[in-house]
Amino acid sequence: MIKPRILMARAVFPEVVAKLEQVAEVEINPDDRVWSQAELIERLQGKQGVFTTGSDRIDAAVLQACPDLRICANMAVGYNNFDLAAMTAAKVVATNTPDVLTETTADLGFALIMATARRMAESEHFLRAGLWTKWSYDMFAGSDIHGSTLGILGMGRIGQAIARRGALGFGMQVIYHNRSRLEPAIEQEMRARYVSKDDLLAQADHLILVLPYSAQSHHAIGAAELARMKPSATLVNIARGGIVDDAALALALKNRTIAAAGLDVFEGEPSVHPGLLEVPNVVLTPHIGSASIPARKAMAHLAADNLLAFFSGQPLPTALNPDPR
Ligand code: GLV
């Protein structure tokens, strides 16, 4: 039997490559470089499957140039690197990795809320720079997390996991805004109250963004939205770059329109807006929301399992579009 041919667009755990090699001919990316579109197209020739991450874009041009491609398995829950409509039109299956990273990503979101509100990065830099010569009453005094109002924009699986942490662990009042309102029983379980986006901006002490990136959510937080927030508020983005207007945020942090921000994702990452690197009141992490070893392994295995299921005629664990087989 002829084995299917799979391209690994980025490096991943060797055990996952070995698992795929049992049934497929696998080409790896030994240097783990982010390939240009032209390189990706070249390497995809004759491949029926591809294992991607958020750094690999699959769009109409790639699909047109790679007629053998039948399935793209993304090792991420977000899939804005896929043109899903073009993939569906080309009868190419798209899969992602939901659920297995929910709690891990919610942990990082909460860690960023705490680090931001309690000024942990700023105070660590101060200490490392040898500037700590005495204790003083207001040194790095920030804002409280317990008992404050937690605002969540985007209330999917990860948003709900953050709401639980806030309400049940820290006694926070949880308010949220989402495209659709949750069932009353779920709202009750996480003690979350649905509000308009305007009220969310005005009332949150800590606002966390957990919505998917799309043309509709592009710059959902810009200068006007930042101006509606409390001057004491913190903003955390663990969703996607581009949901926040980073230039507007850098200015708002400089002018203290809001108190501080915690960012795991950036417009045009891995580049970071220079204004964000200049202000002290921001905590920056390099897109590590799901980066625990168990979660990353589970994501890689789930992406591989989608490829294995596809090539063995089994139902797909986490398909994003209709399965044309
Ligand atoms: C990470 O950003 C993901 O979408 O899984």
Side-chain angles (χ1 to χ4, degrees), residues 51-126:
F51 182 111
T52 55
T53 68
S55 54
D56 315 302
R57 179 143 185 83
I58 305 289
D59 57 17
V62 172
L63 295 168
Q64 205 178 6
C66 305
D68 295 319
L69 193 59
R70 296 173 64 206
I71 175 166
C72 304
N74 211 30
M75 183 185 151
V77 66
Y79 50 90
N80 54 305
N81 55 314
F82 284 176
D83 181 338
L84 198 58
M87 292 171 82
T88 305
K91 296 196 171 17
V92 171
V93 171
T95 67
N96 69 339
T97 59
D99 301 319
V100 292
L101 48 54
T102 299
E103 298 299 330
T104 299
T105 307
D107 284 350
L108 191 276
F110 223 87
L112 269 183
I113 292 172
M114 298 186 76
T116 303
R118 296 300 304 270
R119 305 175 64 180
M120 291 180 71
E122 200 183 343
S123 60
E124 190 193 344
H125 291 150
F126 169 88

Side-chain angles (χ1 to χ4, degrees), residues 153-286:
L153 185 58
M155 199 54 144
R157 289 169 288 238
I158 298 170
Q160 292 176 36
I162 290 166
R164 283 192 200 94
R165 282 161 177 72
L168 309 178
F170 288 79
M172 299 171 93
Q173 284 88 53
V174 178
I175 54 177
Y176 77 98
H177 185 74
N178 196 40
R179 268 177 310 186
S180 47
R181 190 171 169 174
L182 298 176
E183 294 295 318
I186 302 179
E187 281 189 352
Q188 227 167 1
E189 185 209 331
M190 61 194 60
R191 300 178 203 165
R193 190 162 55 84
Y194 182 81
V195 295
S196 67
K197 184 176 168 191
D198 263 357
D199 285 349
L200 187 79
L201 294 167
Q203 291 173 23
D205 294 311
H206 308 288
L207 174 61
I208 184 160
L209 311 178
V210 208
L211 66 168
Y213 179 79
S214 66
Q216 290 73 40
S217 65
H218 180 76
H219 286 187
I221 303 292
E225 289 75 17
L226 291 161
R228 281 200 190 94
M229 293 175 68
K230 296 179 185 179
S232 56
T234 63
L235 172 72
V236 169
N237 186 9
I238 59 164
R240 275 292 182 271
I243 292 175
V244 175
D245 176 345
D246 283 350
L249 177 60
L251 200 61
L253 290 169
K254 188 172 173 201
N255 297 338
R256 306 272 166 174
T257 309
I258 64 168
L263 305 172
D264 188 47
V265 289
F266 304 87
E267 278 191 289
E269 66 186 49
S271 298
V272 176
H273 190 285
L276 291 171
L277 298 173
E278 280 163 16
V279 288
N281 46 342
V282 61
V283 181
L284 307 166
T285 52

Side-chain angles (χ1 to χ4, degrees), residues 131-149:
L131 298 171
W132 187 26
T133 53
K134 63 179 193 305
W135 180 93
S136 59
Y137 75 97
D138 61 350
M139 193 167 74
F140 295 107
S143 57
D144 272 328
I145 294 142
H146 70 275
S148 65
T149 297

